Structure formats: C-alpha cells, structure tokens
Amino acid sequence: MCGIIGYTGSLKAKNILLEGLTALEYRGYDSAGISMFEKDGIRTIKAAGKVADLAKKTEEYQDLNGTSGIGHTRWATHGGVTECNSHPHTYGKVTLIHNGIIENYHELELELAATGRYPVSQTDTEIVAMLLDSLYTGNAIAAIKAAAAQLDGAYAFCIMFADEPEVIYCLRNASPLLACKSKEGTFVASDVVALIGYSKDYFALPEQQIARLTKDSITVTNDMDEVVIPKMLHVSWDITAAQKKGYPHFMLKEIHEQPDTILSTILPRITKEGIVDFTVEQIPDTIFKDVNRIIITACGTAMHAGLIGRVMLEKLLRIPVEVEIASEFRYMDPIMDHYTLVITISQSGETADTLAALRLAKSEGATTLSIVNVKGSTIDRESDYVLYTQAGPEIAVASTKAYTAQLSCLYLLTYRFALVRGTITTQQCKEYVTELRNVIPAVKEALTLNKHIDDICSNLADKEDLFFIGRGIDYPLCWEGSIKLKEISYIHSEAYAAGELKHGTLSLITDGVPVVAIATQSKVLTKMISNIREVRARGAFVILITNGEIELEASAYDYPIVLPKTPDYLTPFTAAVALQLLAYYSCVHRGYDVDQPRNLAKAVTVE
Ligand code: AGP
C-alpha cells in the first residue's frame, strides 16, 4: 500500500532514501517525502506526485548532508493527495511515516484535542505523531509501547525523536517491515527490493516488537523489554531481477519472463521419476489424505488463479472446492473444520483481506496452505504449509508472471493430491507432469503473438467498454482478462459466461461493441460458436481467442488470436499470455502508465 524506507549509517541519507523510494514506488505513488536528521534538527521535504518530483525538490537544498532518515511513498487512504497529507508527519519532537490504517484515529483525535493538540493534515498518521508526542517524556520505547496500546488497525511505523539524532524506531502490526544491516549502516523497508542492494540477509520485524536502529546495530525488544533475535531470511535473486533489463515496462518484462518462472516453479517439485513431490516444501501427504473439502481464498488476480485451480482440483479429486473472495470470506462466518483445507493465494503475501482470511481459517481449526511469492511475508510466516511460486520480484502492479506461477502451483498441488488419494495412477501423474512441462514452449510461442496483438489493440484505443465471454475453464480466464484490461488501460470491461449473455447483457451488444471470445474448450466449442454468432449478429467487434484452428466462418469475427496448441485443460497458461498482452498494448495505445496505474498499489495491505 505504501513504501517505507529508513536508514542510519555513514552515507548521505537523502540519496539512499530516494533510491529506496524509487524501488518501492510500485507500492504506492501519489506523493512522497523524506525526513533527515540534519545539524539544525529534523528536516522534512515532501511533494505530491512521484518520487522524481520529490527528488527534484530536494535539489533546491544544498545542505542535506544528514546520514540518518526515513522516507515514504504514499497510496492515499485518509485525506486527499496533497503535500500536506504526504508523509513524514511531525508533531512536537516526533516525526514518523506509516503504512496501514488506524481504525480508531478519529476517537484519538478527539481525545488529543482535549490536550490542545490539533492536526494540520487529514491523515490518520498525523494523529499517531500527536499521540506519541503526548506520551513522550524522554523515553522513546515507553512512549511507543503506550501509543501502541491505544491503536487499533494495521501499521508499520518508522519513528524519529528529535532528542535522539541518528536513531530510528520501528513497530508493526500486520503491515510489512523488513530490516537489515550492512557495512554502510542499518536499513528498514516495506519490501526487500529496497534492501537487496545493501544485503541479501534480512529479517521481518515480528509484530508488536520494537526495533531500534543505530548506525552500528539493530536491537529488537518485546513488550517485556527483553532483547529478541529475529529469524534471519536470505533473498535468492539479485538486484537486477528487480530492474527492467531493457524492456520499456516492468509488466512487459514480467510477461516475457513466464517461460522461465513457470519452469522455476514446477521443476524443483518434480522427482527424477517424473512425479510431483513436496518433500522439500515439507508438505506432508497426510493433509491430502484427510481433507474432505477445499476452500481457496484470495483477492484479484490471485483469486482468478484459484478459479482455474478449482476446475483442476474438482476434475481430478471429485471433492467440493469453493473459491471465495477473501474480503467476503472473512465476514461470511464460513463453515470450516480440521478436515477443511484452506488454500490462500497471494503474490505479495501481505494482502490484508487474504491475511485475515488465513487467520480466520486457522482460528476455525482448518489446515492452511498458502501459495506465496514473497518469502518471509506475513502470509508465508503464518501459514501451516507454503508452496512458493518461484516468480522472482513482481514489480508491475498488474500481476502476470505471478498468475501463471500460481497456476503452476495449483496444477502441481492437484497432481500430488490426486496421486495421494489414488484418483490418478503414478503413470497418469507422470503424463500430467510431462504435459505441464510441455506447456512452457507453448507459452514461449504465445509470446511471439505480441506484434499481432499490438496491431489488434490499435482498434481498442478509443473504446470505453468491452466484454470477455467464455465457457468452462475459459470463463474464469475472462475474469482475469477483464481485470488486466481494466486496471491498466482503464477500458471498462466485464467477464461473462457466454451462455448467460442472452439472459440480459446481450442488450448491450450493439454495433462495434468489442467482445473478446475465448473459445479453447472442445467440449463446449459448438455452444461457444453459437454465442459468437449471437454477438456478431448484433454487430459486435469480435476478437477470437482459440486453441488452434476451429470450424467458424471468418465473417463471424474480426481478429483471430490462435494460441499454440495444448491440451484444452492447459490453455489457461497460453491464453493468459494473450490476455496479458491484450491489456498491455491497449494501455500503451491509450498512453497510460503501464506499471503504476492510477488509484492502485501493488500490495493492498489495508482493508
Ligand atoms: C492484479 O493484477 C492486481 N494487481 C490485484 O488484483 C492483485 O492480484 C491482488 O491485489 C492480490 O494481490 P496479492 O496476490 O499480492 O495478494
């Protein structure tokens, strides 16, 4: 939701903070600010707009030589996008930055008004600075603990007290905060992409524990003021993995990384005999044996991957699988018990609704298994079992390689599940695994459709509404195609079960309305062809996505996208590439920001 960076050491803090904010900007980018300890006290510079705007503003100051400071790039939750509302916020001796939402900030504001303290911004964060100032009597940790006891909500704070130059305090609850130490000093950030240039060894600050960063050390203490040694984590990829490598946008790079990331995700889970095995992941077969019901819960694209996973799991296991939107699941009082397996899917591992769904499942005694991309993330650390997607850092807000890596994990899970429960034989498992591996060259070939799809998208540049229609496994693909297109090209689109159109929505299909028809499933192809003719008869502009050639007259569509042939049940991998490219080039033709679309952030760490 927001990007946080803190540093104290021997180097010029301004440069480190701005570099860190640039790396974190995908987490939120409507305004930014930095505060540093300078000779004359704490100096704060803020700007509405991008980190580049803030960097330009700092050039007006030649005396920013401090070697300790904090920085923040914002995704607005409380208060408009203004310089005043951007972080850091200072009140009295306290300067802080915050990622999260304080649910009870208004009650606190009223209580603080009684002490003569009033905010100048519209943010919940400034109220926390005021609260800390009201509690601070010279002991920073005591003030932080007393404030935390009064806060409801999600937060990750970096706090500076004017009385303690070059010291940074940190505290978190639900929102992520990672820290590391190097010869240059000590660092704290929302995401490892901002730390990896200094150290590949880091730790996640445990919740409700306070970290005190000085130039030489990081001390973590618990609520009993006992020193805690956090578990160290190691990041396997290098800093270049989080850079564009010559692509115009992170999203295009990440789309093209998919053959490698699918391979990296499936290969380590396949034995030399060619079957799926999770020994390394320490996922025991027992969880597959005892389960009588599966619930998949996630948000956005991760949830769409779950919809595909459900088709596969029910196809091979013949047990009920539900897919629930996490923000609904957590409030619907769901029925679960020890025999329920709850699978949470999350690229960031920090999505607040998915995390809350996971915690609810655990509280109800369900077994929890998460499919996560970011190691050391909160969902990773709180799940009973984890199956990592090996997609590397995904920087573009629009999720692409994480989606196909999530699919890969779901197909692998299905095969291990079915093997353990005996609904497929070892030989069948080997065949499924072989076909899954063979989808990689098909994905590589699908990427060569980029120029063709770019040409098609030139017809969409002036469109404001579009429909995705499909049947069977193509229908959840429509959901993914729709969110991709909406979130970056800002073309409104709707995913529709093709067989359902005539029950109402067909009234919206008139001359020139674009319809993306995904027709890859042989079993329902005849019906799908009828639906394509229905929309065509009403003047639709039809983009047809198929899994090889199909029997349909050329007059029934405007542009075909013929995917490399795969078994029908594996077309989500190749169709995903086509849908991602469709969204990408539509956005480029419309001239919008591909990697940092308006109003969005990469990880939604608040409700
Ligand atoms: C997908 O393109 C979006 N960025 C969004 O729907 C995302 O998938 C969703 O917020 C879930 O994020 P997560 O996978 O990190 O939990």
Side-chain angles (χ1 to χ4, degrees), residues 35-57:
S35 290
M36 285 122 347
F37 282 105
E38 299 295 343
K39 288 192 176 54
D40 55 356
I42 294 176
R43 297 275 294 283
T44 296
I45 297 159
K46 309 200 276 192
K50 300 272 183 146
V51 172
D53 300 317
L54 173 67
K56 191 169 171 47
K57 191 168 180 181

Side-chain angles (χ1 to χ4, degrees), residues 304-358:
H304 299 160
L307 292 171
I308 303 288
R310 173 187 167 215
V311 173
M312 288 306 298
L313 286 161
E314 288 194 338
K315 172 189 167 86
L316 292 192
L317 302 183
R318 308 313 296 160
I319 60 172
V321 179
E322 297 150 52
V323 179
E324 300 292 353
I325 294 171
S327 55
E328 291 297 312
F329 177 76
R330 61 183 294 197
Y331 294 114
M332 66 202 293
D333 197 12
I335 301 162
M336 292 179 275
D337 62 22
H338 174 69
Y339 299 103
T340 308
L341 173 66
V342 174
I343 301 174
T344 53
I345 306 173
S346 177
Q347 188 285 131
S348 63
E350 300 295 351
T351 298
D353 288 317
T354 309
L355 174 59
L358 168 66

Side-chain angles (χ1 to χ4, degrees), residues 406-476:
Q406 289 158 359
L407 293 184
S408 304
C409 284
L410 287 160
Y411 279 65
L412 291 170
L413 266 178
T414 300
Y415 302 153
R416 185 70 202 174
F417 239 123
L419 189 61
V420 169
R421 297 174 70 99
T423 54
I424 64 171
T425 64
T426 301
Q427 182 52 36
Q428 285 172 319
C429 184
K430 290 179 180 177
E431 289 161 7
Y432 277 120
V433 165
T434 300
E435 287 185 336
L436 181 59
R437 291 186 68 159
N438 291 341
V439 89
I440 294 169
V443 166
K444 203 169 282 186
E445 191 181 337
L447 290 167
T448 64
L449 291 166
N450 60 334
K451 188 68 186 73
H452 175 55
I453 293 174
D454 183 3
D455 294 343
I456 292 172
C457 291
S458 61
N459 297 281
L460 300 180
D462 61 344
K463 299 296 184 184
E464 293 309 322
D465 293 290
L466 182 146
F467 291 84
F468 290 86
I469 64 171
R471 286 175 175 256
I473 209 167
D474 289 340
Y475 176 41

Side-chain angles (χ1 to χ4, degrees), residues 299-302 345-349 351 397-399 406 483-484 487 604:
C299 300
T301 284
I345 306 173
S346 177
Q347 188 285 131
S348 63
T351 298
V397 167
S399 186
Q406 289 158 359
I483 197 173
K484 282 283 99 47
E487 72 177 323
V604 184

